[in-house]
Amino acid sequence: MSQKLQKSLGLSAALSTVIGMVIGGGVFFKPQAVYTLTGGAPGLGMIAWFIAGVLTITAGLTAAEVSAAIPKTGGMMVYIEEIYGKKLGMLTGWMQSVLFFPATIAAIAVMFGNQTCLLLGLNENLIIPITIVTILFICFLNTLGSKTSGMIQTISTIAKLVPLFIIVVFGFIKGNGNNSIFTPIVAENLSPMSIIGQVLIAILFAYDGWINVGALAGEMKDPGKDLPKAIVGGLSITMAVYIAINLAYLWVLPADQIANFANPASAVAEVIFGQIGGKVVTVGILISVFGCVNGYLLTGPRVLYTLGQQKSILGYKAIGSLNKNDVPANATLIMGILASLYALSGQFNLLSDLSMFAVWSFYVLTFVGVIKLRKTQPNLHRPYKVPLYPIIPITAILGGSFVVLNQLLFAGMTNTLISLGGVVITLIGLPIYNLAQKQVAKENDNLDKTA
């Protein structure tokens, strides 16, 4: 963000922005994965929604110090480049461009395809074709200009809040409240410590989006005072909403039944309002999810475009160009194709876990960077400083490291292989960067010769 931005945001605007950026599709679909992991027991799931919320608050408070001190467009890629150097910055952008954004887009779009087929009673063989058509259609919409994308975001924000509100209110009014909520912690044959990491990585998908919060610093009237309030307030409200809706789910259906539904929100709505009510809520969720995919296809290609602009990636001329609507259309199309390839797996939870593992590895580097910058650049202008330093950054580092290492080493062979695949894809960025630098050097030599 440019420092010339108008400093017009007060606390209430910042609060609503935080909530809007974080509440997405995960809250509707992740309870199934959570209660499947716990063996149909509710306790650990409910506790984990709270733990993940606290971890997200410490993460937001920590990363916001870097965001406020380095007020440049580009987000985490720029922060890591500034702290650790160009290569690691490029790897961050590469990971986001080829792993985090496409896998997240694919995961959410797979759920869109799944729910569309359920709603319309279509054959499940159509899930993946619908998913891919949806991704490519939203790609096309995003090449028309940011006005179209903005309009979709506004409509989908309203659409996602309506089902949440309906389920929380009517879940408590019409649910019987006879189901267990905090006991048992996990099923008899499971140990809480063996699955807590997997449960957290599932839930953190629903909390993702907080990294963008620090970007508000450049537009806030008093970031030093209001940014921590917006982060703690906004994420606490989000956490309260998530806990409330999960309580409402359990008020209506027991955890072992929720584990059987890909979309617990619709299942609960059907119990409360009957089949038609369930379908109406599903339509609201589908609009919300469509907007979620749109949001990621609006922001993600900007990272890939920046890599093109920096000449850090092969094909940088095409990737770093804008179309007649001043939109990075080539970068958007590439990301859409990558997301479509990931979507062929048809696996919502696998894709979302992969994206969380990849991005949290770099989040931890960002948290460490706060401590590193305090030592290497003590005089750097910091309009906002993380409160309770160094306790909050250390909490964020330990929490994030636990989630990443658990997924890599202790969550079973499948998760280890998926995570290692993520590491390999990320590291491929280094030879790509070196080849791009050779191409740049060659072009510069040719220019010198013709000059």
Side-chain angles (χ1 to χ4, degrees):
M1 272 198 176
S2 161
Q3 284 172 303
K4 291 175 187 171
L5 286 166
Q6 293 297 308
K7 292 189 174 289
S8 57
L9 281 187
L11 181 58
S12 59
L15 260 174
S16 58
T17 309
V18 171
I19 296 163
M21 281 195 286
V22 176
I23 295 178
V27 68
F28 297 119
F29 307 122
K30 274 299 173 183
Q32 184 203 27
V34 170
Y35 296 125
T36 302
L37 286 165
T38 63
L44 187 65
M46 289 306 300
I47 293 164
W49 281 99
F50 177 78
I51 294 171
V54 172
L55 175 56
T56 303
I57 289 169
T58 63
L61 287 170
T62 304
E65 177 169 313
V66 187
S67 307
I70 307 168
K72 296 178 184 172
T73 306
M76 185 165 61
M77 177 170 77
V78 173
Y79 314 148
I80 286 183
E81 184 179 321
E82 195 90 8
I83 300 164
Y84 301 102
K86 187 125 177 84
K87 275 193 182 176
L88 206 47
M90 182 273 170
L91 269 192
T92 309
W94 170 261
M95 174 279 300
Q96 288 177 299
S97 298
V98 299
L99 259 184
F100 171 69
F101 281 112
T104 303
I105 290 161
I108 301 167
V110 161
M111 207 37 85
F112 182 89
N114 182 312
Q115 292 306 301
T116 302
C117 285
L118 279 175
L119 181 70
L120 302 176
L122 302 173
N123 189 302
E124 38 179 65
N125 292 334
L126 291 171
I127 292 174
I128 290 174
I130 289 170
T131 299
I132 291 171
V133 167
T134 303
I135 292 169
L136 296 176
F137 176 60
I138 296 173
C139 272
F140 166 71
L141 291 178
N142 273 284
T143 62
L144 301 177
S146 45
K147 226 178 213 177
T148 311
S149 311
M151 191 173 65
I152 295 167
Q153 284 310 103
T154 307
I155 295 165
S156 68
T157 301
I158 297 161
K160 80 182 164 196
L161 295 175
V162 171
L164 283 170
F165 178 77
I166 289 171
I167 289 163
V168 170
V169 173
F170 289 96
F172 288 123
I173 293 170
K174 293 198 166 191
N176 59 31
N178 296 331
N179 306 318
S180 292
I181 298 211
F182 293 106
T183 57
I185 296 290
V186 291
E188 276 181 27
N189 58 333
L190 293 170
S191 135
M193 286 314 294
S194 68
I195 57 165
I196 182 67
Q198 287 164 272
V199 172
L200 282 174
I201 210 150
I203 290 174
L204 286 169
F205 181 76
Y207 278 105
D208 202 56
W210 58 265
I211 190 74
N212 306 309
V213 170
L216 297 172
E219 292 174 89
M220 292 185 75
K221 294 172 192 169
D222 188 353
K225 194 174 77 168
D226 288 345
L227 191 57
K229 286 181 188 172
I231 292 167
V232 174
L235 292 175
S236 297
I237 291 166
T238 301
M239 181 164 66
V241 168
Y242 284 178
I243 290 170
I245 192 149
N246 277 279
L247 278 171
Y249 291 156
L250 292 170
W251 212 255
V252 177
L253 287 172
D256 58 350
Q257 283 188 38
I258 291 172
N260 297 324
F261 293 105
N263 184 348
S266 293
V268 166
E270 200 164 309
V271 173
I272 299 169
F273 303 110
Q275 216 170 359
I276 292 171
K279 286 190 186 315
V280 170
V281 168
T282 302
V283 169
I285 292 168
L286 282 172
I287 298 167
S288 161
V289 171
F290 189 89
C292 229
V293 176
N294 180 70
Y296 280 105
L297 271 168
L298 173 66
T299 51
R302 267 75 183 164
V303 175
L304 186 55
Y305 165 77
T306 304
L307 285 176
Q309 285 277 298
Q310 292 177 346
K311 300 184 176 180
S312 297
I313 191 169
L314 291 171
Y316 51 78
K317 282 182 182 169
I319 292 167
S321 65
L322 299 174
N323 70 0
K324 62 181 181 188
N325 298 318
D326 291 328
V327 170
N330 292 338
T332 303
L333 183 62
I334 290 166
M335 196 159 284
I337 291 167
L338 276 174
S340 300
L341 292 171
Y342 281 122
L344 291 171
S345 72
Q347 299 291 314
F348 167 67
N349 288 312
L350 182 147
L351 290 164
S352 55
D353 287 357
L354 172 65
S355 73
M356 283 300 97
F357 169 79
V359 83
W360 268 87
S361 309
F362 285 85
Y363 286 163
V364 172
L365 280 178
T366 309
F367 308 149
V368 172
V370 171
I371 296 172
K372 188 173 186 288
L373 272 183
R374 287 268 186 125
K375 288 181 177 166
T376 57
Q377 297 187 46
N379 300 323
L380 182 69
H381 174 58
R382 291 174 174 84
Y384 156 80
K385 286 186 175 184
V386 58
L388 300 177
Y389 181 89
I391 296 165
I392 285 178
I394 288 169
T395 306
I397 291 164
L398 292 175
S401 301
F402 170 75
V403 167
V404 169
L405 292 173
N406 184 83
Q407 194 71 356
L408 187 60
L409 304 172
F410 307 113
M413 186 53 74
T414 305
N415 286 302
T416 298
L417 290 173
I418 292 165
S419 303
L420 284 172
V423 172
V424 170
I425 292 169
T426 302
L427 291 175
I428 287 170
L430 284 174
I432 298 273
Y433 174 76
N434 291 333
L435 286 168
Q437 294 315 292
K438 282 180 184 171
Q439 199 174 321
V440 171
K442 199 173 174 184
E443 279 181 12
N444 289 341
D445 281 350
N446 290 340
L447 279 173
D448 290 342
K449 283 171 188 171
T450 54

